[in-house]
Amino acid sequence: MNTRTEQSGSNQLGLIIEIEPADYTSGVEKAIKEFRTKASVPGFRQGMVPAGVVKKMHGPAIKADVINKLIVDELHKYLTDNKISYLGEPILNHEKSTSDFEAENNNFTFVFEIGLQPEIDLTKVKFDKVVEYAVEPNEEQIKNEIDYLTRQYGTLSEPTETADEDLIYGNITRVATPEVEAFESTIFLQAIENKKIKKEFIGKKAGDVISVDLKKAFDKKDSDVAKTLKIKEEEVATADTNINFEITRISRITPSEMNEEFFAKVFKDETIANEEEFLAKVKTQLTSQFSESTRQKFMNDAITELVKKVDIDIPHDFMKKWLLESNKETTAEIVDAEYEKSLDSIKWQLIENKLVADNGINITRQDIKDFIINFFRSNYFQNSTEEDLEERLSTLAESSMKTEKDVKNIYDQLFDKKIEEALRATMPVELKSVTSEQFMELVSKK
């Protein structure tokens, strides 16, 4: 067997494997003997079919199998031994190869086209700064969040008269069809947009009846109308929204005072001494709500900058052939038409491979197990004092890892995190604070 290579273009290689009868004859004979034990041929008992009959009937196919295995093994051995980094998979050039399996004692030549991994040196590229955004909440957002929290941890009561932000329970009847059976519902007075109608609800008691057009009251907010009438939102347009609302009960939340007891309820595992520290914590929490969006924006911008600035000598002819070979449902015309669009994706894959190699990125099964253990520990066993906690966490993790889909999801998370770290080490990063409105505008730009 003779194997050699020849340069066939920029980052393209031709690999030629030549084999003689001495390379495959013994393998073919062995395969024929093994086939005899399984062959079922009319007129012969199984296992007793003469070798000549097997050879005549199945010889070319058996020879093809033996030779193909020889070629594949030699191909990958040569690439490994010579440390050849290649793109995709080698492509067999049928026109330059000889494969007449019918002939006796003939020589074979197999020619493979190979796309070489281009050399990439990220240290020599001058990148522009990639902006990492931090979303700063405005005063109104902070106020709304504090209003929500003080109400969430407030005191619930049932006053005798309605006030501005009460939730009132009652029975609804339709003005046009009062004979139809009434049904129970609620109206949150804070949601009423029409000031005149809202005023009619203030100072009322259980047993009082208010006539109201819900569309006017909620300023045509179909979701609020539908919730009150207990119908689907798409039914609001044709629904009778003039109702009589008989109050049955009033519910009021008195907001919590801003004190240490309140701070401890909101942030259970932290010590917050005063209102200033509380406001800072709320602000940080609101900012963190955008953390995944800002991280994704950073990743997208960093990848775009890499793809734009890194010059890669891609063997385009080979890549087009490989894309065609790897997708049997496409055509050469489609590949040509779509190739330019796929170039950025190809470039990023090559750069990502370089980042993986340069930074030794390798996510192990133990890394995944540790991730799961830490998840269970922080979410379910944070204050546990069990003696066998570590053993229990290990068992839970092993059980979770039986689902390959979950394992892959965690692998992807850990891999993305490592790539993000590599990007930060490779490119200059500038931190910039923006409002949520500014950030959403940035994200919406194409």
Side-chain angles (χ1 to χ4, degrees):
M1 186 180 301
N2 177 39
T3 305
R4 67 182 190 277
T5 57
E6 58 183 26
Q7 201 71 28
S8 59
S10 179
N11 278 325
Q12 289 187 216
L13 199 66
L15 190 147
I16 302 99
I17 303 175
E18 298 170 332
I19 63 173
E20 301 174 347
D23 297 315
Y24 63 82
T25 300
S26 61
V28 172
E29 290 175 353
K30 181 181 177 183
I32 288 174
K33 288 179 182 179
E34 291 176 353
F35 190 87
R36 285 184 63 204
T37 64
K38 304 173 184 176
S40 178
V41 178
F44 298 96
R45 286 186 297 168
Q46 186 169 343
M48 300 300 291
V49 182
V53 174
V54 172
K55 188 174 181 180
K56 184 177 181 180
M57 295 178 66
H58 304 285
I62 293 173
K63 184 194 289 187
D65 288 341
V66 170
I67 291 176
N68 284 334
K69 186 177 185 308
L70 274 174
I71 294 301
V72 170
D73 290 347
E74 174 63 14
L75 171 65
H76 289 289
K77 182 178 183 301
Y78 187 92
L79 294 173
T80 301
D81 290 348
N82 290 276
K83 297 179 181 179
I84 296 175
S85 298
Y86 55 93
L87 300 172
E89 289 293 335
I91 300 171
L92 179 64
N93 187 319
H94 294 277
E95 293 180 0
K96 294 183 179 180
S97 301
T98 56
S99 54
D100 182 6
F101 299 109
E102 298 282 350
E104 292 286 339
N105 298 318
N106 56 329
N107 296 333
F108 292 89
T109 300
F110 293 88
V111 179
F112 290 91
E113 297 178 36
I114 297 172
L116 301 177
Q117 285 270 5
E119 290 292 331
I120 300 175
D121 188 352
L122 299 175
T123 63
K124 294 181 179 179
V125 183
K126 186 176 181 180
F127 296 107
D128 291 337
K129 287 182 179 179
V130 180
V131 178
E132 180 180 12
Y133 294 97
V135 177
E136 297 287 339
N138 58 37
E139 294 301 320
E140 183 181 358
Q141 290 169 325
I142 294 173
K143 180 183 179 302
N144 290 340
E145 181 66 9
I146 291 174
D147 288 346
Y148 167 76
L149 291 171
T150 53
R151 289 183 64 82
Q152 183 183 13
Y153 292 95
T155 304
L156 187 64
S157 62
E158 293 190 4
T160 57
E161 288 189 1
T162 57
D164 193 52
E165 296 184 351
D166 290 344
L167 175 66
I168 55 175
Y169 296 77
N171 294 316
I172 289 178
T173 54
R174 307 296 177 104
V175 172
T177 53
E179 69 278 4
V180 176
E181 187 176 352
F183 61 92
E184 294 181 344
S185 190
T186 58
I187 293 178
F188 186 30
L189 295 189
Q190 196 175 31
I192 296 179
E193 298 283 349
N194 187 295
K195 292 181 179 180
K196 183 178 179 181
I197 292 175
K198 186 174 184 178
K199 190 175 181 180
E200 294 177 15
F201 278 86
I202 305 301
K204 296 295 189 291
K205 300 178 180 180
D208 288 346
V209 178
I210 301 104
S211 297
V212 60
D213 181 349
L214 292 176
K215 284 182 180 177
K216 289 182 179 179
F218 294 122
D219 194 23
K220 299 182 180 180
K221 287 186 178 178
D222 290 353
S223 58
D224 288 328
V225 176
K227 185 177 179 181
T228 303
L229 292 178
K230 298 183 177 181
I231 60 176
K232 295 178 180 178
E233 199 168 326
E234 56 267 28
E235 296 174 343
V236 171
T238 57
D240 176 15
T241 59
N242 288 288
I243 65 165
N244 289 320
F245 189 86
E246 181 185 4
I247 299 173
T248 58
R249 183 161 62 92
I250 305 165
S251 179
R252 179 178 301 164
I253 295 177
T254 302
S256 173
E257 294 183 13
M258 297 274 281
N259 52 36
E260 288 188 24
E261 182 182 356
F262 168 65
F263 302 154
K265 287 179 181 177
V266 178
F267 301 107
K268 295 181 177 62
D269 300 315
E270 300 183 42
T271 302
I272 298 176
N274 52 51
E275 187 172 330
E276 184 180 355
E277 291 181 10
F278 177 76
L279 290 174
K281 186 65 182 176
V282 168
K283 186 177 179 180
T284 300
Q285 193 173 59
L286 287 171
T287 296
S288 69
Q289 292 176 7
F290 286 88
S291 60
E292 181 55 31
S293 296
T294 54
R295 191 192 78 85
Q296 195 59 58
K297 169 81 173 149
F298 168 79
M299 292 288 285
N300 291 342
D301 290 348
I303 291 169
T304 299
E305 174 68 6
L306 277 165
V307 169
K308 181 175 70 174
K309 290 291 180 66
V310 179
D311 187 25
I312 305 177
D313 184 14
I314 299 173
H316 299 296
D317 290 342
F318 172 82
M319 287 305 301
K320 289 180 181 180
K321 288 181 182 179
W322 180 73
L323 290 169
L324 185 61
E325 285 281 329
S326 59
N327 185 358
K328 299 301 181 184
E329 295 181 2
T330 193
T331 64
E333 291 74 22
I334 292 175
V335 169
D336 282 336
E338 298 292 327
Y339 185 70
E340 288 297 324
K341 296 178 184 178
S342 64
L343 261 181
D344 283 354
S345 178
I346 294 170
K347 286 185 70 174
W348 165 239
Q349 187 60 64
L350 293 171
I351 295 169
E352 186 181 62
N353 292 344
K354 179 64 175 175
L355 290 171
V356 169
D358 287 352
N359 294 275
I361 296 174
N362 178 35
I363 308 301
T364 66
R365 197 163 178 83
Q366 184 61 47
D367 293 331
I368 295 170
K369 183 177 179 180
D370 290 342
F371 178 91
I372 297 172
I373 287 174
N374 289 332
F375 172 81
F376 279 119
R377 192 197 308 279
S378 59
N379 286 278
Y380 301 105
F381 300 95
Q382 196 168 25
N383 300 312
S384 176
T385 56
E386 298 177 35
E387 291 184 3
D388 63 342
L389 178 60
E390 296 305 317
E391 183 180 345
R392 186 177 178 189
L393 288 171
S394 179
T395 301
L396 285 169
E398 289 289 350
S399 178
S400 298
M401 291 172 72
K402 291 179 181 178
T403 306
E404 285 303 317
K405 182 179 178 182
D406 293 340
V407 170
K408 186 180 184 307
N409 287 338
I410 295 170
Y411 175 92
D412 290 343
Q413 287 183 53
L414 296 176
F415 182 81
D416 285 349
K417 183 66 177 174
K418 292 289 186 182
I419 290 294
E420 180 185 350
E421 292 171 0
L423 290 174
R424 292 180 184 278
T426 303
M427 313 170 73
V429 179
E430 176 186 358
L431 186 62
K432 185 176 182 180
S433 296
V434 293
T435 65
S436 57
E437 293 81 8
Q438 289 172 326
F439 181 72
M440 295 309 296
E441 186 179 347
L442 286 167
V443 172
S444 64
K445 286 181 179 178
K446 294 184 179 178

